[in-house]
Each structure stands twice: as C-alpha cells, then as structure tokens.
Amino acid sequence: MTQQRTHDNTPSLLHQKSIVLFFDGVTSPANIGGLFRLADAFGIKQIISNNPNVDLDSTRLKRTARSTERFITFSMVENTNDTLTQLKKEGFYLAGLEITLDSEVIQKASHLATSKIVLVVGNEKHGISNSILPLLDNCYHIQMFGNNSSMNVTQATAIALYEITKTH
C-alpha cells in the first residue's frame, strides 16, 4: 500500500543558486506567511522587505508560515534603492515579477540559470513600485491563458521560484 511521506522522511534537495526574495510593499500577513513558506520550500535563506509594518508576531502570518519565519533570515530596509544597488554590486541579477510592456515570459527565461538572483515581488494591489522598476535587470511575467492578467502574489511567486530553481 502506498503511504504518504512525512516531514521527517522526505528527502531535502539542494540547488546551487543563491536567491534572495525581496518584498516591495507586500502587506497581507497571510501573503507574507505564505511567502516565508515558499522561501523555505525553495531553499531561500534570505528575505528582505521594505515594508516597516511587517509583524512577524502576527497569528495569521505564523499560521500560514508554519514556523518557517523562524528559519529564514528576514530584514527590513528603509532605502530600497541603496539595498538593490548593493545587491547588484555583489553580483546579483535583479529580476522583477511584474507585467510590463517589455517583460518576458518566465517559463521561457532560461537565462535565469544564473547562480545569484534577487526576485522582487510587489504589493498586492499595485505591484512593484515605479521607482524600483528601473533598477531591475529585467521583469518577468507568468504566461496565463484566462481573461485575468494577474494572480495572487504568493501563487505567482511559487510559479516563479519553480521556474528559477528548475534545471534549464
């Protein structure tokens, strides 16, 4: 009989990428918790936010994160431009998850095989701030087939992280 695996008997995989997840104005505790959980699932060790109101003690955040907020380095920054500029100087490729006039389909972005990536995800209503977009090396969107042009930030980030971490 087939049995489900548990947390204790599921092997962990490692990828060779250094990925930083950057939240630009993400506000929902449920989304932030979900993003922590995704970060853990995809082996991301660092999350940065420019939202000074992130409450890591939020019951909703903790319930959604399922304790992953305790294992991932989290920092809040005041100056987004300086932070992203510094990461770029350190050799990170700055990739935005945003639909723009010249964004590329992330499912076809084999050049994301680079080993150092900052994935910038934006606010639930407004996306990535206009002041941040020019700092990014490129923007990527998820090819969709329905009438809606966007999806929840957590769902979109899951798809993007899958595409970034899979073998190209």
Side-chain angles (χ1 to χ4, degrees), residues 94-146:
L94 305 182
L97 185 57
E98 184 67 64
I99 300 170
T100 67
L101 294 175
D102 55 355
S103 58
E104 296 180 34
V105 175
I106 198 161
Q107 292 95 325
K108 298 178 182 178
S110 60
H111 56 281
L112 287 177
T114 182
S115 63
K116 294 175 77 171
I117 298 172
V118 175
L119 179 62
V120 180
V121 299
N123 174 271
E124 292 89 346
K125 288 185 181 181
H126 307 291
I128 296 174
S129 305
N130 287 329
S131 62
I132 294 177
L133 289 173
L135 301 173
L136 304 177
D137 291 307
N138 207 351
C139 283
Y140 300 89
H141 65 271
I142 297 163
Q143 187 173 34
M144 295 173 31
F145 302 96

Side-chain angles (χ1 to χ4, degrees), residues 17 33 60 144 160:
K17 297 182 185 210
R60 182 69 171 124
M144 295 173 31

